[in-house]
Amino acid sequence: MTTPCWPSPSAHHGLECLPSAFIIGFPKCATSDLWERLKRHPEVLTSSSKETRFLTQGEFSSVSPKEGWLGRHTALRAWTIQFDGVAGHLVSLMNNSETRAAANRMVTVEATPLTAWWSSQRPDQGLGLAGPDVFPPRLLQHLVPKAKLIAVVGEPGNRMYSDYFFLSSTGVTESSTEAAAKNPSHFHDLVESQATLFTQCLRKHIAELSQQPP
């Protein structure tokens, strides 16, 4: 099948599945619009919600693993359960001789827009060993080697301005009071501040890298 699945006696339908295509980014670049359009295709199946956020669990400290990293304690079933609807649909198709061929054509899509860049795991499950963070696309390369990764990008200024109104310092902007406090002048000041911090970060790490042996 196009959708990667495997037998699992403990799963509701006796089958566990993962997506065959991932919309991996980027926030405020119309990923929701693309998701809604793909859902209308007769040969596309989707997760129970647009953003499963399994590989970006550190985003929500109240439900994320300790320190936000995936580790030995993280069960893959916690992710595949969000595709139980996909598994049930595929089982139904495969059990009917007239629709069995259709099951092989079904593509399953998931769309967490932070997947492209959210740092999800340290080497050796965050046990303090040195090494770079591992990003979700690298994990997907091993979990689902044949998966298609879809990245939607936008004009940087418009994307930043949309994100500015969407987010607050504590999460998503929810109140009219928070929204009313935002304005172009405040956005400009934040951009200048962040650009300065980013430039300082680049200078620091470029200097560190230049001192390392080849």
Side-chain angles (χ1 to χ4, degrees):
M1 289 190 298
T2 302
T3 293
C5 300
W6 59 93
S8 176
S10 61
H12 182 61
H13 300 283
L15 197 70
E16 290 187 64
C17 300
L18 283 176
S20 44
F22 297 84
I23 300 174
I24 63 173
F26 284 84
K28 312 313 292 179
C29 290
T31 58
S32 294
D33 181 71
L34 176 59
W35 162 262
E36 291 296 334
R37 292 173 186 270
L38 287 174
K39 282 172 63 176
R40 299 172 193 167
H41 195 285
E43 293 182 354
V44 169
L45 301 174
T46 63
S47 47
S48 56
S49 60
K50 176 201 168 199
E51 303 177 21
T52 64
R53 299 174 183 258
F54 179 77
L55 298 176
T56 61
Q57 293 183 48
E59 183 182 3
F60 298 102
S61 59
S62 62
V63 296
S64 66
K66 184 179 180 182
E67 298 180 355
W69 312 115
L70 301 177
R72 295 189 179 118
H73 58 280
T74 310
L76 187 61
R77 179 59 182 149
W79 195 15
T80 63
I81 196 171
Q82 299 190 64
F83 301 95
D84 274 358
V86 169
H89 189 79
L90 291 175
V91 167
S92 177
L93 292 175
M94 290 185 293
N95 286 341
N96 186 327
S97 59
E98 295 182 358
T99 59
R100 193 168 297 143
N104 294 323
R105 297 193 299 269
M106 303 303 289
V107 175
T108 300
V109 181
E110 188 270 355
T112 300
L114 302 184
T115 301
W117 58 271
W118 192 274
S119 181
S120 66
Q121 181 172 337
R122 291 191 184 280
D124 203 22
Q125 294 76 43
L127 298 181
L129 301 182
D133 295 336
V134 180
F135 293 90
R138 178 60 61 86
L139 296 178
L140 292 176
Q141 180 184 15
H142 294 280
L143 279 171
V144 196
K146 295 183 179 180
K148 302 297 183 183
L149 305 184
I150 304 165
V152 186
V153 297
E155 193 281 318
N158 289 335
R159 196 217 69 80
M160 290 171 63
Y161 199 52
S162 176
D163 215 29
Y164 166 70
F165 279 98
F166 179 68
L167 297 175
S168 70
S169 59
T170 57
V172 175
T173 299
E174 296 180 349
S175 70
S176 57
T177 303
E178 284 182 309
K182 299 190 174 189
N183 57 71
S185 177
H186 183 232
F187 171 73
H188 175 79
D189 292 342
L190 284 176
V191 170
E192 283 196 330
S193 172
Q194 292 299 309
T196 299
L197 290 173
F198 183 68
T199 301
Q200 293 172 348
C201 180
L202 283 179
R203 287 173 179 167
K204 174 185 176 182
H205 290 289
I206 288 175
E208 290 176 351
L209 288 172
S210 65
Q211 297 173 7
Q212 294 182 2

